[in-house]
Amino acid sequence: MLWAGRSAIEIATAVRHGEVTATTVVEEHLHVISERDPRVGAFRRVREQAVEEAQAVQKRRDLAELPLAGVPVAVKDNLEVAGEPTRGGSAGTADSPAPQDHVTVARLRAAGAVIVGLTNLPELGLTAFGDSAYGIVRNPWNPARTSGGSSSGSAAAVAAGMVPIALGNDGMGSLRIPAAACGVLAIKPGTGLVPGPADDWDGLTENGPLTTTVADLSLMLSVLAADPALAEAWRTGRRVDPRPPMLRSVWADDAEVWDPQPPPDSPEPFDLRVAYAPQPLPVGLPMDKEFQAAVRAAAETLRVAGHTVVEHTRRLPAWLGHATIATWLCRSAAAAEGLDRRSLERRTRSLARAGRVLAALKLNGVRGRERWRAYGADQWFGDADVLITSVLATIPPRAERWGERGFLRNALANVRFAPAASPWNMCGWPAITVPIATHSSAMPIGVQLVAPPGGEPHLLGLAAQLQSAHPLVRAPGYN
């Protein structure tokens, strides 16, 4: 029986019940990576020692209780994996091995997952394109186009069926953008639910999962958040405590043990107030008509499912866009600080230079961010439980060495490609990406669902209803 292409829940259930060994599952996925990744470029490093680690999982006394028993997972190369250098997509970072796992990686391992590789990202995670000194991450749907970024390789690895789940992070859309570009699911948790990366961009960045099923997304989020209640939230959309104690873990001696089951044909019904905004961007930023149609289609699906659905016609304020760009550039300067500029890409140097100028002028976006967090997001969002928008404004740009280009070309291309994700980092609200349609260009279209703080269960429940009505289509050639 072949296990590549199966969901994480299917794999873990089979390993727990003795239908297959963790070793066999990992060996098969490593073989698939060796066959497919030369076309995609998702991985900076593939970990052959994952076979030995899978053998260790198979010997664990608690194997029958592990929610991710034997599940292969890819980790974005800006999160520490013990014994591996954390390069962050840059030749200018240290090549010394990390002394220990990042807490999210440790939680995945403790839940039985096996780290099969580290995935590529643009240098320091600064842009929405998948190129760096380590190569170009190509979109499995069309290798001529970028996979998006900055969780570029993680999204591409899941889309190409090389792993069932992957770990990434999102500072200005870096989970949702590549997930939408590659036709997979991703969720950016709200502030405080999941431990963030070492450099969390002053609280903008959240770690989160990428998967092909909402059930897997819920399960992986529950492990990352150390909250078993989230594992089944996709079934009902029920509210749960969004901020469990961070020291609690699903594998602790006194923790609840649960056995996630394969999803039923459809999730249970529930009723929410859902708004949809086909064109939420400020005047001057266009939105592809097919992307707008996908938002309307998602809204209609949820209306048929029993939710109260209304159109949201307001546009995001221009001052928020200005604050977001200033924040991006100033955080770029901070990320590059201390690194040898001679080893950095032209793109990184130019973004950091612009950020230093803005910081010196005290135009760092802080006031705009505080204004948006204090009342702007609530006022603009309205009284809905969830808002639907597009993730992207156009199909992914070409997969090229954008890192060799300067400030203006990169800044304009990023803003035109993916301007709708970053507002929700600026206020720390949770947001999820769900693939729903195929563009006339034969590229996938994803919609974004946003909720106020604590709304992760609502997002998971609605995503499950959307996926039930619009089943995931795999990238051609990667079934």
Side-chain angles (χ1 to χ4, degrees):
M1 180 179 289
L2 298 178
W3 294 95
R6 300 291 190 94
S7 72
I9 287 179
E10 289 174 324
I11 290 171
T13 300
V15 171
R16 286 196 301 269
H17 294 169
E19 298 172 16
V20 67
T21 67
T23 308
T24 296
V25 170
V26 168
E27 287 177 337
E28 181 180 313
H29 281 80
L30 289 174
H31 177 69
V32 170
I33 291 171
S34 70
E35 286 188 329
R36 298 181 180 182
D37 199 46
R39 289 177 279 166
V40 178
F43 288 90
R44 179 185 70 78
R45 167 147 165 71
V46 178
R47 303 181 70 249
E48 297 299 333
Q49 64 266 49
V51 175
E52 295 180 5
E53 294 173 4
Q55 292 170 348
V57 169
Q58 191 65 39
K59 294 176 182 177
R60 284 177 58 169
R61 294 182 179 180
D62 60 348
L63 178 67
E65 299 175 351
L66 299 178
L68 293 176
V71 176
V73 61
V75 174
K76 186 176 180 180
D77 192 24
N78 65 352
L79 291 168
E80 296 81 5
V81 174
E84 303 286 354
T86 309
R87 301 311 303 265
S90 178
T93 52
D95 62 359
S96 54
Q100 61 186 21
D101 290 330
H102 184 274
V103 62
T104 52
V105 176
R107 288 179 176 180
L108 290 171
R109 288 194 200 267
V114 180
I115 313 302
V116 295
L118 306 177
T119 58
N120 278 315
L121 64 150
E123 187 166 52
L124 306 180
L126 300 184
T127 62
F129 309 136
D131 67 283
S132 73
Y134 301 101
I136 297 174
V137 184
R138 299 186 178 276
N139 197 307
W141 286 75
N142 182 345
R145 297 200 174 273
T146 182
S147 64
S150 66
S151 300
S152 314
S154 289
V158 173
M162 292 187 274
V163 289
I165 60 176
L167 178 61
N169 37 55
D170 189 317
M172 287 271 178
S174 291
L175 281 165
R176 291 159 289 153
I177 292 168
C182 293
V184 299
L185 293 131
I187 185 168
K188 179 195 80 68
T191 302
L193 184 61
V194 174
D199 180 8
D200 68 355
W201 277 36
D202 192 27
L204 289 170
T205 304
E206 307 293 339
N207 289 323
L210 301 102
T211 72
T212 59
T213 73
V214 183
D216 278 1
L217 200 71
S218 289
L219 175 58
M220 188 172 173
L221 180 63
S222 75
V223 170
L224 297 175
D227 181 11
L230 281 172
E232 301 296 324
W234 65 273
R235 294 183 187 272
T236 62
R238 287 196 306 267
R239 289 187 179 276
V240 295
D241 179 3
R243 293 176 179 79
M246 287 297 105
L247 295 179
R248 179 185 176 204
S249 61
V250 299
W251 47 87
D253 291 340
D254 60 348
E256 175 185 355
V257 174
W258 80 102
D259 186 18
Q261 297 298 314
D265 292 337
S266 61
E268 297 177 19
F270 58 102
D271 183 17
L272 295 176
R273 299 185 307 278
V274 178
Y276 67 99
Q279 169 50 307
L281 303 178
V283 175
L285 285 178
M287 174 75 71
D288 186 293
K289 297 296 184 182
E290 293 181 51
F291 286 30
Q292 295 185 43
V295 171
R296 295 187 179 95
E300 177 61 15
T301 297
L302 296 181
R303 186 193 66 78
V304 171
H307 302 283
T308 301
V309 177
V310 297
E311 184 171 3
H312 190 334
T313 58
R314 284 172 284 181
R315 291 177 178 252
L316 290 163
W319 59 260
L320 175 62
H322 300 153
T324 301
I325 292 173
T327 300
W328 170 42
L329 296 175
C330 289
R331 293 314 307 168
S332 297
E337 188 175 354
L339 300 178
D340 185 349
R341 295 183 187 180
R342 295 169 297 180
S343 63
L344 299 178
E345 295 176 328
R346 178 187 177 192
R347 171 178 60 196
T348 301
R349 295 196 304 270
S350 65
L351 293 174
R353 188 182 308 116
R356 288 193 295 272
V357 170
L358 290 177
L361 296 173
K362 299 188 184 305
L363 301 175
N364 55 14
V366 170
R367 290 184 179 178
R369 181 182 176 190
E370 291 175 346
R371 178 181 176 187
W372 181 242
R373 294 181 70 178
Y375 61 88
D378 276 317
Q379 289 186 348
W380 188 84
F381 195 87
D383 63 354
D385 297 306
V386 171
L387 172 71
I388 311 171
T389 74
S390 178
V391 182
L392 309 177
T394 185
I395 63 172
R398 296 190 64 81
E400 298 173 345
R401 280 296 280 120
W402 289 87
E404 297 174 353
R405 298 171 181 170
F407 169 77
L408 191 58
R409 292 185 70 181
N410 272 277
L412 289 176
N414 271 265
V415 171
R416 289 170 178 168
F417 172 42
S422 56
W424 313 110
N425 297 87
M426 294 287 280
C427 62
W429 288 18
I432 196 170
T433 295
V434 185
I436 192 174
T438 303
H439 194 269
S440 59
S441 65
M443 298 299 293
I445 301 176
V447 294
Q448 171 179 237
L449 283 71
V450 183
E456 288 86 355
H458 286 349
L459 298 180
L460 293 165
L462 294 179
Q465 292 181 334
L466 288 174
Q467 187 168 53
S468 178
H470 305 274
L472 179 118
V473 177
R474 285 277 191 179
Y478 294 100
N479 293 321

